[in-house]
Amino acid sequence: MEAVTAIKPLIRVAALSGSIRKGSHNTGLLRAAINLTKESVPGIEIEYIDISPLPLINTDLEINGTYPPVVEAFRQKILEADSILFASPEYNYSVSAPLKNALDWGSRSRNVWADKPAAVISTGGSSGGGKSQYHLRQIGVFLDLHFINKPEFTLNAFQPPQKFDAEGNLVDEAAKERLKAVLVSLHSFTLRLQGK
């Protein structure tokens, strides 16, 4: 008798990298996550959302309850997503300025982050970006984001064996397996919060 494989409900994930650097390892983590969903993590569709075009937060740019077109488009992408995947580099023990800027634009009335399930991954030096994750989780409390608690994902990008290639793509198979576990957890948590 053939085993019946259950079809997993599809969730749409908006993926944001706090690093806008061309060869960013954190953005490389998101590319790896996108590839994993195509190869071995069914039920997830990830869309990378580029936050680099967002202007610096400035309420003078809000006119009659509307925002600049690039901000409106960004906010709409977040609203349409079922959950959020953050890749958060650590800058001075905290989140990066581009990521904080995106969070702030999304928090303006109406808060588009509210009630979204979320996961955070990071890579960097010795702590693998872990300190930024704790600050992001604190910000998430006010924004009504609901982060998965486990598994946590931090990655020391510079400790052997090689984790990334010259273009910033994740090549470490063990790290890919850990990343896969995050995606599976985010999928389950999202469905749970949706009551499915």
Side-chain angles (χ1 to χ4, degrees), residues 38-110:
K38 294 174 182 174
E39 298 165 3
S40 59
V41 185
I44 300 181
E45 181 180 272
I46 299 177
E47 181 181 1
Y48 172 72
I49 310 297
D50 183 8
I51 63 174
S52 65
L54 294 173
L56 287 176
I57 185 80
N58 179 352
T59 55
D60 288 344
L61 300 176
E62 299 177 26
I63 300 168
N64 298 324
T66 63
Y67 304 94
V70 67
V71 174
E72 291 280 10
F74 166 75
R75 289 169 53 83
Q76 188 60 38
K77 290 285 188 184
I78 302 304
L79 273 173
E80 292 169 357
D82 295 307
S83 55
I84 314 295
L85 176 61
F86 293 100
S88 182
E90 184 180 311
Y91 284 29
N92 301 315
Y93 279 23
S94 189
V95 298
S96 68
L99 182 54
K100 183 62 166 62
N101 189 54
L103 291 164
D104 290 343
W105 272 123
S107 74
R108 301 297 298 163
S109 184
R110 151 194 181 198

Side-chain angles (χ1 to χ4, degrees), residues 13-36:
V13 178
L16 285 71
S17 175
S19 174
I20 57 177
R21 186 174 65 83
K22 184 177 178 182
S24 165
H25 290 158
N26 281 276
T27 305
L29 290 178
L30 295 181
R31 283 194 302 273
I34 291 168
N35 289 335
L36 283 169

Side-chain angles (χ1 to χ4, degrees), residues 4 7 37-38 50 56 58 61 79 92 102 106 133-134 158 160 173 175 186-187 189 191 193 195:
V4 178
I7 298 174
T37 61
K38 294 174 182 174
D50 183 8
L56 287 176
N58 179 352
L61 300 176
L79 273 173
N92 301 315
Q133 292 193 16
Y134 295 124
F158 309 107
E173 292 302 322
L186 179 61
H187 183 268
F189 185 56
L191 294 180
L193 289 187

